[in-house]
Amino acid sequence: MSQVNTPVAIDNDGSAVLERNVEPSKQLAHTVAEAVELYDVDRTAAHIAEGGYSRVALQFPDELLADSTLVSAALQERTEARVFILADTSYGSCCVDEVAAEHYAADAVVHYGRTCLSLTTRLPVVYVFGRDAVDVADLCAQCESELQGSRVLLVSDVQYAHALEDIGKALRGICKEVAVSRIAVQDCAYVPGAEDAAEPGRLWELEHPIGEYTMLYVGEESLTLTNLLVTQRCQSAFSYAPQTRTLRAESARVNRHLSRRYHMVQRARDANVVGIVVGTLAAVRYQSV
């Protein structure tokens, strides 16, 4: 079994976070009932009760902050813990912000939305990925000509992980073999240091060497996709973007993040002096580097 942890890949000078335009999510909840379903409130409350946590920080990315008060109210009704919202994480919202949470003496964090699944060092984390829609029939129709008879490693961004089993079943009628990945913390909390604790990361089992597989990534272009392309030596790779319903073969010519990474690697090779910056927002073992 392989496990892949995908840390943040920093390939810009930080200006992007200052210049970006934040668009609200298209799946904003309008009532508490909608928030309970969209944000998996009952499962989250069960994890809080099971862990005996008394002060719980809720970390939302900017685009989901509009729903944060509904989610907080729903959790407050279902638990005895004091729940509060972190609204000051300005860089790397995919990372769990242990620093901000500890400023308020939190003993657990609930992280919402996209995540790079970096390991945390101190606080237990409950991940809530969301359940964005995927048109499985359209995906399979577009993959038929490209993946016919291939061995496929199926992976996804976290908000589409809920659909991977259904996609895998549909693709088995087209492909020679389909290995479906899963996210280790999809249904359980991550507790650093706990015995037999599931660590954040993607898991899969392959019957053959990974070089014999084509990777199919479900999700939009992102650093997660770039990290998987760089670290996993599949014979080829495709991505399907559910928001635009487009399938494309991945390469540096079409993937902006991958192209920028190659460019920065070349610049580093030509440099006389290289500085190493280690992000410590929530990165385990950074002191040993």
Side-chain angles (χ1 to χ4, degrees):
M1 178 180 291
S2 299
Q3 174 156 351
V4 178
N5 302 100
T6 51
V8 182
I10 300 177
D11 58 1
N12 61 73
D13 61 3
S15 60
V17 73
L18 300 176
E19 299 171 356
R20 70 184 177 187
N21 293 320
V22 178
E23 296 293 336
S25 168
K26 295 180 180 179
Q27 289 193 315
L28 292 179
H30 299 289
T31 65
V32 172
E34 290 181 358
V36 168
E37 181 177 357
L38 283 174
Y39 294 96
D40 220 350
V41 169
D42 290 329
R43 178 180 70 87
T44 305
H47 284 312
I48 292 173
E50 181 181 351
Y53 307 127
S54 59
R55 292 178 61 83
V56 179
L58 309 183
Q59 181 182 340
F60 291 83
D62 292 340
E63 63 270 18
L64 297 181
L65 272 175
D67 285 350
S68 60
T69 53
L70 289 175
V71 176
S72 176
L75 281 173
Q76 199 72 68
E77 291 176 357
R78 289 163 171 78
T79 69
E80 297 180 359
R82 182 176 181 182
V83 177
F84 53 90
I85 300 163
L86 297 180
D88 58 351
T89 300
S90 59
Y91 191 91
S93 61
C94 60
C95 290
V96 177
D97 195 346
E98 288 186 299
V99 176
E102 288 184 327
H103 286 168
Y104 296 95
D107 52 14
V109 179
V110 183
H111 184 283
Y112 293 91
R114 290 197 67 256
T115 173
C116 56
L117 298 173
S118 296
L119 297 178
T120 54
T121 58
R122 299 175 295 275
L123 295 180
V125 183
V126 177
Y127 290 95
V128 179
F129 301 142
R131 302 172 62 86
D132 287 3
V134 182
D135 189 332
V136 178
D138 179 72
L139 184 156
C140 291
Q142 294 196 48
C143 287
E144 187 168 2
S145 60
E146 300 288 353
L147 301 180
Q148 184 77 41
S150 301
R151 290 191 172 96
V152 173
L153 171 58
L154 181 61
V155 295
S156 76
D157 210 342
V158 293
Q159 66 267 39
Y160 303 111
H162 68 94
L164 286 189
E165 286 296 337
D166 291 338
I167 295 171
K169 290 178 182 178
L171 286 175
R172 288 188 177 100
I174 300 171
C175 305
K176 185 176 182 179
E177 177 192 342
V178 180
V180 180
S181 68
R182 63 182 179 87
I183 298 175
V185 292
Q186 188 167 350
D187 299 311
C188 61
Y190 170 55
V191 183
E195 189 174 344
D196 298 327
E199 290 189 352
R202 290 171 172 80
L203 304 171
W204 56 70
E205 295 182 358
L206 303 179
E207 298 179 4
H208 302 274
I210 195 168
E212 298 182 17
Y213 289 79
T214 294
M215 181 188 297
L216 175 59
Y217 176 86
V218 180
E220 283 65 44
E221 183 177 321
S222 66
L223 293 177
T224 299
L225 172 58
T226 301
N227 287 333
L228 287 168
L229 292 174
V230 170
T231 59
Q232 305 307 311
R233 300 299 185 184
C234 294
Q235 64 179 6
S236 59
F238 290 83
S239 67
Y240 177 82
Q243 293 182 8
T244 57
R245 298 186 180 185
T246 54
L247 179 75
R248 77 179 188 188
E250 288 297 327
S251 71
R253 287 192 293 180
V254 299
N255 188 307
R256 294 171 300 164
H257 287 96
L258 191 61
S259 176
R260 189 181 302 121
R261 185 185 185 108
Y262 288 155
H263 173 69
M264 297 303 293
V265 168
Q266 187 59 48
R267 288 188 61 184
R269 290 175 63 184
D270 296 337
N272 294 321
V273 179
V274 176
I276 299 177
V277 179
V278 180
T280 61
L281 182 64
V284 71
R285 294 188 292 272
Y286 67 87
Q287 289 181 330
S288 63
V289 177

